[in-house]
Amino acid sequence: MVLQRHVSFDEFMSWPEQKPYLEYFEGEVKPKAVPNSDHSIVQADLMFHLKSWDPKVPVVAEQRCLLKGAGSAAVLPDVAVFPPGGFTVNPKRQAVVPPRLAVEILSPDDTYADVQAKVSLYLEAGVPVVWVIDPAARNVTIHRAGERTKVVSEEGKLEEPLLPGFSLSLKTLFQNVDTMINPQPTEQP
């Protein structure tokens, strides 16, 4: 859903933050998709695993990132990972340097076209790696500039050369989606 067409980047940046949160890309203002429980659980668990891997690495959720590429954009990746010392913000506390990893977690209202447009935008703006996590399909699609897209299934692991030593089984990432929402009865001794 597009809220308003043909708004300049500067005009959008002059607006106060509001809910639902808005993103600006492709010259349009779009509301950020409202997450469901699966999205929220995966987001929290991914952040936990990334922070556990290296507490010094800036890992943030829903951080406004100002990107320059083919055009200007203001987006809110579900999770963004910045290099140590590379989390640079402006006076409004918006990131002005692209993250080294941007993560989008699919929500029921996300359209394929919007997600693909954001992936292209991230890559054009200098984000080296974009993960698109699909909690329903239990997979992660990995995008890198100039490389073929790779899909990691639930049986696989997320391992990232830009995050040396980071390894996360997708079974581990997705396990709380079921157990937190539909807890299994525990056996009595």
Side-chain angles (χ1 to χ4, degrees):
M1 170 184 178
V2 177
L3 293 180
Q4 189 171 354
R5 292 186 157 278
H6 310 296
V7 173
S8 74
F9 179 75
D10 290 337
E11 182 181 352
F12 174 76
M13 293 307 298
S14 72
W15 296 356
E17 283 293 339
Q18 56 189 294
K19 290 187 180 180
Y21 291 117
L22 303 174
E23 295 182 298
Y24 178 91
F25 62 98
E26 296 185 329
E28 298 175 341
V29 177
K30 299 178 182 186
K32 175 113 171 115
V34 176
N36 63 9
S37 59
D38 294 0
H39 176 289
S40 297
I41 292 167
V42 168
Q43 181 182 37
D45 285 354
L46 178 61
M47 291 189 65
F48 169 79
H49 289 289
L50 286 165
K51 290 304 291 178
S52 296
W53 160 71
D54 188 343
K56 296 182 293 301
V57 171
V59 178
V60 292
E62 311 294 333
Q63 170 66 49
R64 169 95 48 215
C65 294
L66 307 182
L67 303 176
K68 304 284 185 189
S72 296
V75 293
L76 297 156
D78 294 316
V79 176
V81 180
F82 293 85
F87 185 42
T88 306
V89 297
N90 65 14
K92 287 184 165 183
R93 310 302 284 172
Q94 301 162 328
V96 295
V97 174
R100 76 165 48 161
L101 168 66
V103 180
E104 290 294 329
I105 303 167
L106 298 182
S107 297
D109 292 338
D110 282 326
T111 68
Y112 179 80
D114 281 349
V115 172
Q116 289 307 310
K118 281 178 83 172
V119 167
S120 295
L121 176 88
Y122 286 130
L123 296 174
E124 290 171 8
V127 177
V129 181
V130 181
W131 293 348
V132 178
I133 299 177
D134 187 340
R138 304 287 170 107
N139 66 33
V140 178
T141 304
I142 300 172
H143 302 267
R144 293 178 195 287
E147 292 185 23
R148 208 171 245 167
T149 300
K150 176 182 173 186
V151 178
V152 180
S153 71
E154 186 175 12
E155 302 302 318
K157 290 183 178 184
L158 281 175
E159 296 178 324
E160 177 50 55
L162 290 176
L163 310 175
F166 178 78
S167 180
L168 175 61
S169 135
L170 289 194
K171 280 190 177 200
T172 299
L173 179 62
F174 294 123
Q175 74 184 359
N176 284 334
V177 170
D178 294 326
T179 59
M180 289 180 76
I181 297 170
N182 299 312
Q184 300 297 313
T186 57
E187 294 182 38
Q188 298 293 326

